[in-house]
Amino acid sequence: MAAEHATAGVAEHLRESRAGPAVAVEIVEGALLAVVAVLTAWSAYQSALWDSRSAASYSESASLRFSAQAANTQAGQQMLYDATAFNAWLAARDDGNDALASFLERRFRAEYRPAFEAWLATDPFHNPSAPPGPGTMPEYRNASAEHAQALDAEATAALNAGHRSREIADDYVRAMVFLAVVLFLTALSQRFRFPRVRLGIICLAFGVLAFSVYVLATVDTAVSAGAS
């Protein structure tokens, strides 16, 4: 009886000694699952925000590009008018029709007039080195063309911002893939009864988790869809 009692005591002690590490591993697994769940939810939230921001930037870029094209078309029409009016003025002057020339001069656009006056100041009809026309003068300006150029630059900036937001959203998706690997390793460890094997797999899972945290720490964070 004494021998049997001693054997039972040793067996109970072995079960308790094995249960200790197993419980510790289970606690670590539970904590790991909790952390991964929070980080996955955060990554999904950030990815959605950056996706929304990317779509907004692309939409803004398209709208700006359309406005730039409209302004550029208007600029082309104004430049054509300037050239046509100037050619008509030259023809009237050559014909000696001062009344028509004066009338056409009054019909010049306000933006064109300073260039025309600066061109006249170069004495173009007697100075062989004078510029060929007002359109080549430094004073010549076209607000529509300048506006079109500015809008085009803004459209390009918005497009680049959309690309950047898309890349950040992809970074968060990439982090979620690594977090899914952590979940897989955690679930895999639970298939083994040996604490050392489970602990080894958990250590690998922690390594992948650390890399996931590094990825999340190196990407931009959006508080809202319009945050920068």
Side-chain angles (χ1 to χ4, degrees):
M1 294 294 295
E4 293 178 358
H5 181 71
T7 301
V10 171
E12 182 66 22
H13 176 72
L14 290 175
R15 284 194 296 270
E16 292 178 355
S17 62
R18 292 175 181 175
V23 172
V25 170
E26 289 178 357
I27 293 175
V28 172
E29 290 173 344
L32 187 61
L33 290 173
V35 172
V36 170
V38 173
L39 291 179
T40 301
W42 170 255
S43 299
Y45 172 69
Q46 287 294 314
S47 179
L49 287 182
W50 285 107
D51 273 336
S52 176
R53 186 174 180 181
S54 175
S57 295
Y58 287 146
S59 177
E60 180 184 5
S61 177
S63 177
L64 288 170
R65 195 78 69 185
F66 178 81
S67 298
Q69 291 175 353
N72 195 47
T73 299
Q74 183 179 20
Q77 293 172 343
Q78 292 173 343
M79 291 177 182
L80 179 60
Y81 173 83
D82 292 338
T84 302
F86 176 69
N87 290 335
W89 178 86
L90 279 178
R93 183 185 180 281
D94 289 342
D95 292 341
N97 192 342
D98 294 337
L100 178 60
S102 178
F103 170 78
L104 291 171
E105 187 174 339
R106 291 195 302 272
R107 302 301 296 175
F108 287 159
R109 292 188 313 111
E111 288 182 315
Y112 189 78
R113 188 174 300 281
F116 176 75
E117 293 174 352
W119 178 74
L120 286 179
T122 65
D123 193 18
F125 299 104
H126 302 93
N127 181 9
S129 61
T136 62
M137 298 295 295
E139 291 80 3
Y140 182 68
R141 293 287 185 275
N142 188 291
S144 296
E146 295 173 356
H147 185 51
Q149 186 176 5
L151 288 174
D152 193 66
E154 292 179 16
T156 300
L159 182 64
N160 292 335
H163 290 334
R164 176 57 181 161
S165 297
R166 179 67 264 176
E167 291 174 357
I168 295 175
D170 290 342
D171 288 337
Y172 279 104
V173 172
R174 188 177 300 110
M176 284 191 287
V177 172
F178 288 120
L179 292 172
V181 173
V182 177
L183 290 177
F184 169 76
L185 291 174
T186 305
L188 180 64
S189 70
Q190 297 174 352
R191 304 294 297 177
F192 296 92
R193 295 183 179 181
F194 302 101
R196 291 184 179 180
V197 176
R198 295 177 67 178
L199 187 59
I201 297 176
I202 290 301
C203 289
L204 179 59
F206 267 109
V208 179
L209 177 62
F211 182 76
S212 303
V213 172
Y214 169 77
V215 172
L216 293 175
T218 55
V219 296
D220 294 336
T221 299
V223 178
S224 66
S228 56

